């Protein structure tokens, strides 16, 4: 028979079993539950055992901002706001994987989107926060096509157009004027 003194729940267990006690901590301080275990076998009660379970609080998820760069621009290491004294852990995966304590610097050599993950770890409690996802978007740099045109010298102005290679399909107009 399990009973938590703080009124969490009573559990009756028969035989040799593992009992999962749903104890949650949504505060910023540790929560301590005192548990009393009374073994009962064939109608006979054994000695009561008392133990405590301390549920440590999780650090809050780091505060992040998504970032956009233009292709080939210089990037800076990623940043996340965390509680002083906590370690910042950087991941390539949303779950599992190994971490780095060094903030990654995103590559801008290719256009596209990459997601980095960051958590904070409290070395005093040994608890790690949920991971936050930082989206780094690298926008393609527009490129002017190689255009060479020959035009005759005329009395009036002429307008020539050229397409730019970009996701926006920008148009560049050149106005040639006779001086």
């Amino acid at each position: 028979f399990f009973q938590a003194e703080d009124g969490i729940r009573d559990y009756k267990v028969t035989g040799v079993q593992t009992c999962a006690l749903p104890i949650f901590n949504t505060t910023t301080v540790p929560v301590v539950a005192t548990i009393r275990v009374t073994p009962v076998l064939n109608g006979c009660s054994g000695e009561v055992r008392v133990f405590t379970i301390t549920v440590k609080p999780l650090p809050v998820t780091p505060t992040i901002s998504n970032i956009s760069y233009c292709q080939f621009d210089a990037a800076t290491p990623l940043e996340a706001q965390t509680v002083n004294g906590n370690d910042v852990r950087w991941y390539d995966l949303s779950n599992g994987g190994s971490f780095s304590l060094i903030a990654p610097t995103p590559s801008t050599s290719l256009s596209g989107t990459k997601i980095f993950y960051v958590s904070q770890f409290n070395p005093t409690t040994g608890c790690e926060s949920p991971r936050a996802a930082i989206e780094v978007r690298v926008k393609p740099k527009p490129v002017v096509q190689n255009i060479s045109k020959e035009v005759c010298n005329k009395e009036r102005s002429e307008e020539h157009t050229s397409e730019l290679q970009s996701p926006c399909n920008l148009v560049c107009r050149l106005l040639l004027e006779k001086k």
Side-chain angles (χ1 to χ4, degrees):
F1 179 69
F2 289 91
Q3 181 179 16
E5 288 186 348
D6 58 5
I8 294 175
R9 285 211 178 117
D10 291 343
Y11 287 93
K12 287 190 178 181
V13 179
T14 58
V16 178
Q17 293 186 12
T18 301
C19 185
L21 297 174
I23 303 172
F24 302 98
N25 183 355
T26 57
T27 71
T28 58
V29 296
V31 172
V32 178
T34 302
I35 311 297
R36 293 181 177 278
V37 178
T38 305
V40 177
L41 180 62
N42 297 325
C44 298
S45 295
E47 185 180 333
V48 175
R49 298 285 184 188
V50 178
F51 61 95
T52 60
I53 296 175
T54 302
V55 181
K56 301 172 191 174
L58 288 180
V60 296
T61 304
T63 303
I64 55 92
S65 294
N66 293 328
I67 301 170
S68 288
Y69 287 104
C70 289
Q71 192 175 11
F72 307 115
D73 282 358
T76 58
L78 297 177
E79 295 179 354
Q81 293 178 343
T82 59
V83 175
N84 284 338
N86 286 353
D87 296 334
V88 180
R89 292 182 169 184
W90 296 94
Y91 295 88
D92 287 329
L93 303 171
S94 60
N95 290 304
S98 58
F99 65 88
S100 172
L101 296 175
I102 299 169
T105 300
S107 169
T108 61
S109 61
L110 297 173
S111 63
T113 301
K114 177 160 174 58
I115 298 176
F116 295 86
Y117 299 91
V118 61
S119 70
Q120 61 178 314
F121 175 79
N122 183 326
T124 303
T125 64
C127 296
E128 185 173 5
S129 75
R131 295 178 191 179
I134 301 176
E135 183 178 289
V136 178
R137 182 173 173 234
V138 179
K139 300 176 281 186
K141 192 140 210 125
V143 178
V144 176
Q145 291 178 354
N146 186 8
I147 43 173
S148 296
K149 288 195 175 198
E150 292 183 17
V151 292
C152 293
N153 188 9
K154 296 186 177 184
E155 293 297 319
R156 62 179 177 76
S157 298
E158 281 192 36
E159 190 175 278
H160 299 278
T161 63
S162 171
E163 296 290 322
L164 292 176
Q165 294 175 353
S166 78
C168 303
N169 293 324
L170 301 173
V171 175
C172 177
R173 286 192 165 72
L174 234 223
L175 189 57
L176 303 174
E177 291 187 28
K178 182 179 176 188
K179 294 206 179 207

